[in-house]
Amino acid sequence: MVRFLEGVVLELAEDRAIVSLHGLGFEVFCPTGTLGRLRVGETARLHTRLVVREDSLTLYGFHDPLLLEWFDLLTGVSGVGPRVALGLLSALPADLLGQAVTGDDPKLLTAAPGVGRKLAERIVLELKTKLPDHLAGLAPSTAPVENPAAGEAAAALITLGFRETQVHAVVQKLAAKQPEAAAEELIRLALRELR
């Protein structure tokens, strides 16, 4: 019904934005990554999904149409409502979601609020056959390594018995935040997230 919304951002909150369009203020719930790209006073274009419930009309918005595709796929899974889908899209980048599903790694999904082990397993099970190639993410063996220290850290963690998909995702995230970190430091930080 409402495929996109383009207007001036009036307000930003923890999980939503107010976008002004022709004298109307639209409340749009967005994942963290989308909110981080919006600026008050600037024009924004959001790809949207209007969710109609018996007692409410709620608009969800995304800066990237691929995130909207993910939102639709996730909300199609039994037990995943719009808020849980938004939490998943806030907690994990889209390529990591793809890796979790194609790599049969539900533990990665439990990083999102409201997603326990059983729901994560259901998401992987239901989406594994439905996930289009363009949303599948990088295969672990072709995942880019930011620096040699990240490669060493990933290899050491895999040797310790952690899943390859999860290790690469965590180490890449940490290496991106701390590009100068040594392998030992990356291993120490990754162990906190992997346990």
Side-chain angles (χ1 to χ4, degrees):
M1 183 181 196
V2 182
R3 291 298 297 165
F4 73 91
L5 182 66
E6 189 168 347
V8 177
V9 179
L10 295 182
E11 294 176 33
L12 290 172
E14 187 179 328
D15 61 349
R16 71 196 80 181
I18 306 297
V19 179
S20 174
L21 178 62
H22 301 299
L24 295 172
F26 290 88
E27 180 180 53
V28 188
F29 290 87
C30 306
T32 307
T34 296
L35 289 170
R37 294 169 183 264
L38 303 179
R39 301 287 177 264
V40 173
E42 292 184 7
T43 299
R45 182 183 181 121
L46 296 171
H47 304 274
T48 57
R49 175 67 65 232
L50 178 64
V51 176
V52 180
R53 295 278 190 252
E54 205 173 287
D55 58 347
S56 68
L57 297 172
T58 309
L59 200 57
Y60 295 89
F62 311 90
H63 68 279
D64 186 330
L66 294 179
L67 292 177
L68 176 59
E69 277 190 74
W70 265 112
F71 181 79
D72 289 341
L73 279 168
L74 288 166
T75 54
V77 174
S78 174
V80 178
R83 295 296 183 148
V84 171
L86 206 61
L88 277 160
L89 293 170
S90 290
L92 298 167
D95 61 336
L96 219 52
L97 284 170
Q99 288 178 32
V101 172
T102 57
D104 198 20
D105 191 4
K107 187 176 180 191
L108 200 53
L109 302 179
T110 60
V115 180
R117 183 183 57 81
K118 286 187 178 181
L119 183 56
E121 288 171 354
R122 187 180 315 132
I123 291 169
V124 169
L125 182 67
E126 289 191 28
L127 292 186
K128 201 164 190 167
T129 57
K130 296 178 186 174
L131 196 65
D133 289 343
H134 67 282
L135 295 182
L138 297 170
S141 58
T142 61
V145 174
E146 296 294 324
N147 59 42
E152 289 176 39
L157 290 163
I158 291 166
T159 303
L160 289 172
F162 292 100
R163 292 185 105 171
E164 189 175 346
T165 306
Q166 190 176 15
V167 165
H168 282 291
V170 169
V171 170
Q172 284 177 28
K173 181 180 78 171
L174 293 169
K177 287 181 184 174
Q178 300 182 30
E180 302 302 317
E184 295 79 13
E185 177 69 5
L186 290 173
I187 291 168
R188 187 177 61 75
L189 293 170
L191 283 171
R192 288 183 190 165
E193 293 196 30
L194 292 166
R195 290 191 175 167

